[in-house]
PDB file of all heavy atoms in Angstrom:
ATOM      1  N   ILE A 306       7.780  17.447   9.173  1.00  0.00           N
ATOM      2  CA  ILE A 306       8.884  18.065   9.754  1.00  0.00           C
ATOM      3  C   ILE A 306       8.609  18.260  11.251  1.00  0.00           C
ATOM      4  O   ILE A 306       9.267  17.995  12.252  1.00  0.00           O
ATOM      5  CB  ILE A 306       9.232  19.395   9.064  1.00  0.00           C
ATOM      6  CG1 ILE A 306       9.733  19.127   7.674  1.00  0.00           C
ATOM      7  CG2 ILE A 306      10.334  20.179   9.821  1.00  0.00           C
ATOM      8  CD1 ILE A 306      10.013  20.266   6.801  1.00  0.00           C
ATOM      9  N   SER A 322       1.412   4.580   7.072  1.00  0.00           N
ATOM     10  CA  SER A 322       2.070   4.328   8.432  1.00  0.00           C
ATOM     11  C   SER A 322       3.164   5.317   8.576  1.00  0.00           C
ATOM     12  O   SER A 322       3.784   5.797   7.581  1.00  0.00           O
ATOM     13  CB  SER A 322       2.591   2.931   8.456  1.00  0.00           C
ATOM     14  OG  SER A 322       3.531   2.645   7.443  1.00  0.00           O
ATOM     15  N   THR A 351      22.094   8.097   7.312  1.00  0.00           N
ATOM     16  CA  THR A 351      21.393   6.899   6.827  1.00  0.00           C
ATOM     17  C   THR A 351      20.444   6.487   7.943  1.00  0.00           C
ATOM     18  O   THR A 351      20.688   6.770   9.125  1.00  0.00           O
ATOM     19  CB  THR A 351      22.167   5.729   6.320  1.00  0.00           C
ATOM     20  OG1 THR A 351      23.090   5.443   7.412  1.00  0.00           O
ATOM     21  CG2 THR A 351      23.099   6.120   5.211  1.00  0.00           C
ATOM     22  N   ASP A 376      15.314  21.109   2.281  1.00  0.00           N
ATOM     23  CA  ASP A 376      15.051  20.299   1.186  1.00  0.00           C
ATOM     24  C   ASP A 376      16.249  19.485   0.603  1.00  0.00           C
ATOM     25  O   ASP A 376      17.418  19.986   0.882  1.00  0.00           O
ATOM     26  CB  ASP A 376      14.428  20.940  -0.072  1.00  0.00           C
ATOM     27  CG  ASP A 376      13.514  20.035  -0.901  1.00  0.00           C
ATOM     28  OD1 ASP A 376      13.451  18.745  -0.632  1.00  0.00           O
ATOM     29  OD2 ASP A 376      12.816  20.599  -1.748  1.00  0.00           O
ATOM     30  N   GLY A 383      23.572  10.191  -8.530  1.00  0.00           N
ATOM     31  CA  GLY A 383      23.463   9.640  -7.262  1.00  0.00           C
ATOM     32  C   GLY A 383      24.059  10.607  -6.197  1.00  0.00           C
ATOM     33  O   GLY A 383      24.202  10.003  -5.035  1.00  0.00           O
ATOM     34  N   PHE A 417      21.118  31.865   0.731  1.00  0.00           N
ATOM     35  CA  PHE A 417      19.679  31.549   0.845  1.00  0.00           C
ATOM     36  C   PHE A 417      18.909  31.797   2.111  1.00  0.00           C
ATOM     37  O   PHE A 417      19.422  31.423   3.132  1.00  0.00           O
ATOM     38  CB  PHE A 417      19.413  30.169   0.169  1.00  0.00           C
ATOM     39  CG  PHE A 417      20.181  29.895  -1.033  1.00  0.00           C
ATOM     40  CD1 PHE A 417      21.205  29.072  -1.037  1.00  0.00           C
ATOM     41  CD2 PHE A 417      19.641  30.467  -2.259  1.00  0.00           C
ATOM     42  CE1 PHE A 417      21.845  28.680  -2.228  1.00  0.00           C
ATOM     43  CE2 PHE A 417      20.340  30.158  -3.421  1.00  0.00           C
ATOM     44  CZ  PHE A 417      21.415  29.349  -3.330  1.00  0.00           C
ATOM     45  N   VAL A 419      15.555  30.409   2.437  1.00  0.00           N
ATOM     46  CA  VAL A 419      14.950  29.068   2.711  1.00  0.00           C
ATOM     47  C   VAL A 419      15.246  28.281   1.340  1.00  0.00           C
ATOM     48  O   VAL A 419      14.592  28.458   0.310  1.00  0.00           O
ATOM     49  CB  VAL A 419      13.443  29.215   2.799  1.00  0.00           C
ATOM     50  CG1 VAL A 419      12.825  27.894   3.028  1.00  0.00           C
ATOM     51  CG2 VAL A 419      13.115  30.227   3.970  1.00  0.00           C
ATOM     52  N   TYR A 433      17.701  23.024 -10.663  1.00  0.00           N
ATOM     53  CA  TYR A 433      16.827  24.111 -10.171  1.00  0.00           C
ATOM     54  C   TYR A 433      16.887  24.172  -8.687  1.00  0.00           C
ATOM     55  O   TYR A 433      17.025  23.023  -8.069  1.00  0.00           O
ATOM     56  CB  TYR A 433      15.421  23.803 -10.636  1.00  0.00           C
ATOM     57  CG  TYR A 433      15.199  23.824 -12.257  1.00  0.00           C
ATOM     58  CD1 TYR A 433      15.150  22.574 -12.816  1.00  0.00           C
ATOM     59  CD2 TYR A 433      15.049  25.031 -12.845  1.00  0.00           C
ATOM     60  CE1 TYR A 433      15.032  22.573 -14.224  1.00  0.00           C
ATOM     61  CE2 TYR A 433      14.786  24.952 -14.289  1.00  0.00           C
ATOM     62  CZ  TYR A 433      14.954  23.783 -14.868  1.00  0.00           C
ATOM     63  OH  TYR A 433      14.801  23.785 -16.286  1.00  0.00           O
ATOM     64  N   GLY A 454      27.209  25.670 -12.931  1.00  0.00           N
ATOM     65  CA  GLY A 454      27.644  26.929 -13.351  1.00  0.00           C
ATOM     66  C   GLY A 454      27.056  28.106 -12.660  1.00  0.00           C
ATOM     67  O   GLY A 454      26.646  27.919 -11.480  1.00  0.00           O
ATOM     68  N   PHE A 484       2.921  25.947  -4.219  1.00  0.00           N
ATOM     69  CA  PHE A 484       2.936  27.380  -3.758  1.00  0.00           C
ATOM     70  C   PHE A 484       2.278  27.472  -2.368  1.00  0.00           C
ATOM     71  O   PHE A 484       1.011  27.391  -2.166  1.00  0.00           O
ATOM     72  CB  PHE A 484       2.210  28.227  -4.723  1.00  0.00           C
ATOM     73  CG  PHE A 484       3.065  28.472  -5.964  1.00  0.00           C
ATOM     74  CD1 PHE A 484       3.038  27.671  -7.143  1.00  0.00           C
ATOM     75  CD2 PHE A 484       3.905  29.623  -6.033  1.00  0.00           C
ATOM     76  CE1 PHE A 484       3.825  27.866  -8.158  1.00  0.00           C
ATOM     77  CE2 PHE A 484       4.750  29.860  -7.059  1.00  0.00           C
ATOM     78  CZ  PHE A 484       4.734  29.030  -8.173  1.00  0.00           C
ATOM     79  N   CYS A 513       5.662  18.316  -4.163  1.00  0.00           N
ATOM     80  CA  CYS A 513       5.035  17.383  -4.887  1.00  0.00           C
ATOM     81  C   CYS A 513       6.157  16.379  -5.595  1.00  0.00           C
ATOM     82  O   CYS A 513       7.240  16.691  -5.693  1.00  0.00           O
ATOM     83  CB  CYS A 513       4.196  18.009  -6.082  1.00  0.00           C
ATOM     84  SG  CYS A 513       5.063  19.169  -7.105  1.00  0.00           S
ATOM     85  N   PHE A 515       6.058  12.820  -8.554  1.00  0.00           N
ATOM     86  CA  PHE A 515       5.367  11.873  -9.339  1.00  0.00           C
ATOM     87  C   PHE A 515       5.548  10.482  -8.754  1.00  0.00           C
ATOM     88  O   PHE A 515       6.666  10.126  -8.447  1.00  0.00           O
ATOM     89  CB  PHE A 515       5.847  12.012 -10.778  1.00  0.00           C
ATOM     90  CG  PHE A 515       5.288  13.320 -11.542  1.00  0.00           C
ATOM     91  CD1 PHE A 515       6.153  14.355 -11.571  1.00  0.00           C
ATOM     92  CD2 PHE A 515       4.132  13.278 -11.990  1.00  0.00           C
ATOM     93  CE1 PHE A 515       5.711  15.571 -12.135  1.00  0.00           C
ATOM     94  CE2 PHE A 515       3.682  14.575 -12.570  1.00  0.00           C
ATOM     95  CZ  PHE A 515       4.495  15.623 -12.743  1.00  0.00           C
ATOM     96  N   GLU A 535     -10.782  29.232  11.279  1.00  0.00           N
ATOM     97  CA  GLU A 535     -11.677  29.582  10.274  1.00  0.00           C
ATOM     98  C   GLU A 535     -11.149  28.983   8.888  1.00  0.00           C
ATOM     99  O   GLU A 535     -11.861  28.488   8.015  1.00  0.00           O
ATOM    100  CB  GLU A 535     -11.882  31.000   9.983  1.00  0.00           C
ATOM    101  CG  GLU A 535     -12.651  31.751  11.203  1.00  0.00           C
ATOM    102  CD  GLU A 535     -11.770  31.970  12.543  1.00  0.00           C
ATOM    103  OE1 GLU A 535     -10.452  31.673  12.287  1.00  0.00           O
ATOM    104  OE2 GLU A 535     -12.300  32.316  13.520  1.00  0.00           O
TER     105      GLU A 535
END
Side-chain angles (χ1 to χ4, degrees):
I306 297 178
S322 58
T351 57
D376 208 352
F417 305 109
V419 183
Y433 300 96
F484 283 87
C513 54
F515 289 96
E535 293 78 6

